[in-house]
Amino acid sequence: MCLISVVLATYNGQKFIEQQLQSIITQLPLDSEIIISDDKSVDRTIEIIEQFNDTRIKIIENHKRKGTISNFENGLKHASGNIIFLSDQDDVWLPNKVETVKKYLQEYDLVMSDCKIVDENLEVLQDSLFASLQSGKGFFKNLISNTYIGCCIAFKKNLLKLALPFPKNIPMHDIWLGMVAELFFSPQFINDKLVLYRRHELNKSSTSTKSVYALFEKLKFRYNTIRYIPLLLKRKFLKN
């Protein structure tokens, strides 16, 4: 079993994937792995990834489109590392990300780090995601206004024993993982800025901007988190 798994979900990511992978590979130990779940990209994403010719990279190509949540779930199911990092296809990891997070994971089960929000040319738009979202721990705090953002999350693999498989209709994979950590594990938010979190016209996330979701959608998001607490309790009971 390898020490670190990076789970990276791709879809038509040719514009930024090379820069992102380079920033990850340079700080990973040789016994690590990068699990790339590709959601039927029709551009040069796979070609660019294969050009790295790095044995740590494992590509899983979906036979049909899965969407963001299921694409990340697919990658997580193939991860064998004791420590798992989530990664988007269009950001940049800062050089001290892996070593910094590993130190915190000696004490905590999930770490959510701060990041800088940048434009597509890596010009800083906001110096701190945490300041923008008022990020922090707390189940009810994050149920009301989520501050768990996937590209900044890393966790110990034992969290997946409860989190997988993802229930249907969860709001988003990172929200779900954060809520599982809040309920049954020890999460921690750290102020270290470890990612350049790229915002551009192709991003689906509304992070750092005013939410695009209507009130009904927000209420549905919260309901679809709370409704699965009994399922988590059942899974925890069966695992013990």
Side-chain angles (χ1 to χ4, degrees):
M1 178 180 291
C2 67
L3 175 62
I4 295 173
S5 294
V6 177
V7 174
L8 198 164
T10 57
Y11 174 66
N12 290 350
Q14 66 177 16
K15 189 172 183 179
F16 302 115
I17 188 63
E18 181 176 1
Q19 189 176 29
Q20 170 65 311
L21 272 178
Q22 191 63 48
S23 74
I24 294 171
I25 286 172
T26 54
Q27 55 185 301
L28 283 184
L30 294 177
D31 62 346
S32 302
E33 65 180 9
I34 303 174
I35 305 295
I36 297 177
S37 182
D38 185 76
D39 210 17
K40 287 191 71 66
S41 292
V42 295
D43 63 358
R44 295 181 57 248
T45 297
I46 297 299
E47 177 186 343
I48 293 169
I49 295 169
E50 290 176 338
Q51 288 175 354
F52 277 85
N53 194 28
D54 192 308
T55 57
R56 291 171 292 184
I57 297 176
K58 302 174 183 179
I59 304 172
I60 306 161
E61 296 186 63
N62 298 334
H63 297 300
K64 62 179 182 179
R65 288 289 310 281
K66 290 178 175 287
T68 301
I69 297 174
S70 294
N71 199 25
F72 267 106
E73 180 182 24
N74 187 47
L76 288 169
K77 287 179 177 178
H78 288 83
S80 61
N82 299 315
I83 295 173
I84 298 173
F85 287 78
L86 299 184
S87 175
D88 291 341
Q89 65 185 2
D90 47 9
D91 301 324
V92 174
W93 285 17
L94 295 176
N96 59 332
K97 177 177 170 72
V98 171
E99 288 304 314
T100 300
V101 170
K102 279 173 58 181
K103 292 176 183 177
Y104 283 101
L105 284 173
Q106 292 177 17
E107 181 176 357
Y108 302 101
D109 296 309
L110 181 146
V111 170
M112 169 72 195
S113 62
D114 200 359
C115 66
K116 296 185 178 183
I117 303 169
V118 300
D119 65 15
E120 65 176 81
N121 299 314
L122 302 183
E123 295 294 328
V124 176
L125 301 174
Q126 296 183 37
D127 190 61
S128 169
L129 176 70
F130 281 12
S132 173
L133 297 182
Q134 299 298 300
S135 301
K137 292 192 295 183
F139 176 81
F140 290 105
K141 170 185 172 59
N142 284 284
L143 182 65
I144 294 170
S145 182
N146 174 65
T147 60
Y148 282 98
I149 307 302
C151 68
C152 297
I153 288 176
F155 54 89
K156 294 177 182 175
K157 190 178 183 181
N158 62 344
L159 189 145
L160 293 182
K161 293 178 180 179
L162 295 186
L164 292 179
F166 288 166
K168 293 182 179 180
N169 301 318
I170 59 171
M172 189 54 72
H173 64 286
D174 46 9
I175 298 176
W176 175 247
L177 292 167
M179 294 296 97
V180 172
E182 288 284 355
L183 288 169
F184 299 105
F185 297 91
S186 58
Q188 181 64 13
F189 283 65
I190 63 173
N191 292 322
D192 304 73
K193 300 180 182 75
L194 303 177
V195 174
L196 300 180
Y197 183 29
R198 198 177 330 233
R199 303 288 80 201
H200 54 87
E201 71 278 1
L202 299 178
N203 286 133
K204 292 185 177 180
S205 170
S206 60
T207 303
S208 82
T209 63
K210 186 175 181 180
S211 176
V212 298
Y213 295 107
L215 176 61
F216 174 76
E217 289 298 317
K218 290 181 180 180
L219 292 174
K220 186 168 72 173
F221 274 16
R222 291 163 191 164
Y223 169 74
N224 282 334
T225 300
I226 294 173
R227 67 184 288 207
Y228 291 119
I229 292 177
L231 171 65
L232 289 173
L233 290 169
K234 181 179 179 180
R235 287 181 182 177
K236 184 171 178 60
F237 176 78
L238 292 174
K239 296 295 181 182
N240 290 337

